[in-house]
Amino acid sequence: KAARTAGISSMIGTGLTGAMLASKMQNIEREGYEDRVYRLYYNEGQNRVDEVSGLGVVLGLAGSFICARMGLIPLSGMHLIGGAAAGSTIGVLAAVATMPPKAPKQSVNIVMEQIKPSS
């Protein structure tokens, strides 16, 4: 039942996310849209989360399929989507939990050098 509920929730969430994105993009000029796409494309943290989340989707889908073959859950599309959604969620959480700490930006280092007391 949990896998089916996750599948339904992910379908509803995907639809709502698409509607909210379309609404938000109506108020952004093309240059702002292209800037956001560029920043996301070259953001190492975002790319890492995307990769780990994608792996989670594959593992969740495989896990759901194996559970269905063992008779633990029905072999239905909604159960498989639910497994993929759960895997994606676990992948995002794992990527965020294991994210390496970011180094301070160069501008922060310059400011810190300026305010550091002289010895």
Side-chain angles (χ1 to χ4, degrees):
K1 184 156 176 122
R4 185 173 187 278
T5 302
I8 293 170
S9 298
S10 69
M11 298 291 281
I12 292 170
T14 300
L16 289 174
T17 301
M20 289 187 297
L21 176 66
S23 173
K24 182 178 176 92
M25 288 297 130
Q26 294 294 323
N27 302 326
I28 296 177
E29 294 179 17
R30 184 171 179 89
E31 184 177 302
Y33 177 77
E34 289 173 353
D35 180 60
R36 181 163 176 77
V37 169
Y38 179 85
R39 288 174 185 264
L40 285 172
Y41 184 78
Y42 288 105
N43 186 310
E44 291 179 20
Q46 182 66 49
N47 290 332
R48 183 173 183 280
V49 170
D50 291 346
E51 289 172 5
V52 176
S53 175
L55 178 62
V57 167
V58 171
L59 292 176
L61 186 62
S64 292
F65 185 75
I66 291 169
C67 286
R69 296 289 290 173
M70 293 173 61
L72 300 173
I73 61 172
L75 182 58
S76 72
M78 216 35 82
H79 286 90
L80 295 175
I81 290 171
S88 174
T89 302
I90 292 169
V92 168
L93 293 174
V96 171
T98 60
M99 189 77 64
K102 290 176 90 175
K105 293 188 177 189
Q106 186 64 26
S107 59
V108 172
N109 291 335
I110 292 170
V111 171
M112 293 305 291
E113 287 174 8
Q114 295 297 322
I115 62 173
K116 186 174 16 174
S118 301
S119 338

